[in-house]
Amino acid sequence: MLLTSYWLMKRDATRPIPEVELSLAFGLGQCDQTTSVLKLFSLLTGPDMADFPISPLVLIGAGSSLAFSRLFYHLYQEKKTELKKLKEIPVFKPDQHLLRVLRASPHKRLQYVAVEGLVQADGEPLASQFVPRCFGVIQKITVEEQWKYWNSFTNTWNSQTKNRKESNNSVPFSLVSPGAYVTDFSVKIQNPLEASGSFLDRVHYKVRRAEDGLKNMLLQSLSGEKPVAMEESEEMLRSGSPLTGFGELVLEGGQVMRLQAPRDGRKYILVPSDHGSFMDRHERSASMWKTLSAATGITGASLLAGAIYGLARNRDDGSK
């Protein structure tokens, strides 16, 4: 949408005519004429406009809206570029078609692809330590203590985390095609703990409050510290959950497909969803920035247009 407003003002017949051109171009909410807007703000708040003052709140609101419009448009462009790169990545499922593509590729290797499937342990899966009948292939258990210590300078209790313990366990696993009755085709995931991405699901979380016993009261009086609670949590990558891996795919021994960290420096990523859901989230994010950019841009332009119209009408009334 292109909003162009011309404002011609004449103070009297003996003075030159000041002319201001306001051109606001919104490409999906983008304001390309920032310099013109700043000049307009200077003119509207200058000494020549003392007879027709404009509320500073209007100018602040218009300037803030246009500034946020540019910011949101920049974020939209970044997300749009990211989406374009993601759409260029080939997507496969662990099936015979992928095996044929690998066999026909140079060096039996695909440099960077996305493989989606269901998690399946190659052997015995891991069992949750807290949730019955919950199995997975990666397990992370975290235990930490929450303490408070007395700050004599501010006379307040401050929080502190102590004695944090974390253990990670994993078993070899592969991705298999959803709905496949025969798992002859699978893609092994190499070194999943080295991959980035939040692919673990929290299956257990509990807070154990400390009791105000005699021991804790003595500890508090002697050291100025007191225990508050102990937090324990367990996260797992469950068996049968959907997973999409981004990385380098290689064929070993003519039959075994393996996904591993790329050698060209690109990111090795595991996403806890199918590829379609992953792309939908990015599409929604881009759409959100686009909508915010357009909304704030239109708001800023409307405020400026209203201010200009009010000044022009006051000029006309004063000349009569």
Side-chain angles (χ1 to χ4, degrees), residues 74-314:
H74 174 71
L75 295 174
Y76 165 71
Q77 288 288 359
E78 285 187 343
K79 180 58 68 173
K80 187 177 178 181
T81 301
E82 182 182 358
L83 267 172
K84 182 180 178 181
K85 293 180 179 179
L86 288 174
K87 291 178 179 179
E88 294 174 353
I89 300 174
V91 183
F92 297 97
K93 293 182 180 180
D95 52 18
Q96 190 173 5
H97 170 68
L98 176 58
L99 184 59
R100 288 198 299 264
V101 171
L102 268 174
R103 287 174 176 173
S105 62
H107 308 292
K108 306 295 187 293
R109 183 185 306 269
L110 297 175
Q111 287 189 348
Y112 201 76
V113 298
V115 181
E116 62 174 339
L118 300 180
V119 174
Q120 178 179 278
D122 294 341
E124 287 294 327
L126 298 170
S128 170
Q129 294 188 9
F130 304 97
V131 182
R133 296 180 296 279
C134 180
F135 302 95
V137 294
I138 298 178
Q139 181 185 57
K140 178 181 177 181
I141 299 176
T142 304
V143 179
E144 61 184 20
E145 297 177 3
Q146 299 294 333
W147 286 65
K148 285 188 176 181
Y149 66 94
W150 179 253
N151 190 330
S152 58
F153 293 99
T154 60
N155 292 327
T156 57
W157 288 97
N158 297 333
S159 300
Q160 183 181 21
T161 300
K162 300 175 64 175
N163 301 327
R164 178 184 174 89
K165 298 179 181 179
E166 182 178 303
S167 61
N168 294 281
N169 302 308
S170 64
V171 295
F173 70 95
S174 303
L175 296 181
V176 298
S177 293
Y181 294 99
V182 180
T183 58
D184 292 339
F185 302 100
S186 63
V187 174
K188 296 183 178 297
I189 305 298
Q190 181 175 351
N191 298 329
L193 296 178
E194 297 179 1
S196 60
S198 302
F199 51 88
L200 297 181
D201 181 29
R202 177 184 284 182
V203 297
H204 172 78
Y205 178 77
K206 189 173 184 178
V207 178
R208 304 179 186 274
R209 299 292 178 182
E211 298 180 357
D212 295 330
L214 179 61
K215 178 181 177 181
N216 291 338
M217 293 179 62
L218 290 174
L219 181 64
Q220 175 181 338
S221 60
L222 294 175
S223 64
E225 296 183 344
K226 63 178 181 179
V228 177
M230 184 179 69
E231 299 179 1
E232 58 183 21
S233 65
E234 182 182 26
E235 297 174 293
M236 298 187 72
L237 177 57
R238 301 188 190 189
S239 299
S241 60
L243 187 73
T244 302
F246 294 83
E248 184 181 63
L249 191 63
V250 297
L251 182 63
E252 299 177 351
Q255 188 68 26
V256 179
M257 297 180 286
R258 187 183 303 275
L259 188 71
Q260 60 187 22
R263 296 184 298 178
D264 57 5
R266 283 184 278 188
K267 288 186 177 181
Y268 182 34
I269 305 174
L270 297 179
V271 180
S273 68
D274 58 85
H275 185 265
S277 300
F278 172 73
M279 295 299 295
D280 287 343
R281 288 197 297 272
H282 282 271
E283 292 280 2
R284 289 195 297 269
S285 178
S287 179
M288 178 191 67
W289 294 128
K290 176 181 175 181
T291 302
L292 288 174
S293 177
T296 52
I298 293 173
T299 301
S302 300
L303 290 173
L304 279 180
I308 293 172
Y309 175 76
L311 282 175
R313 187 175 59 181
N314 288 337

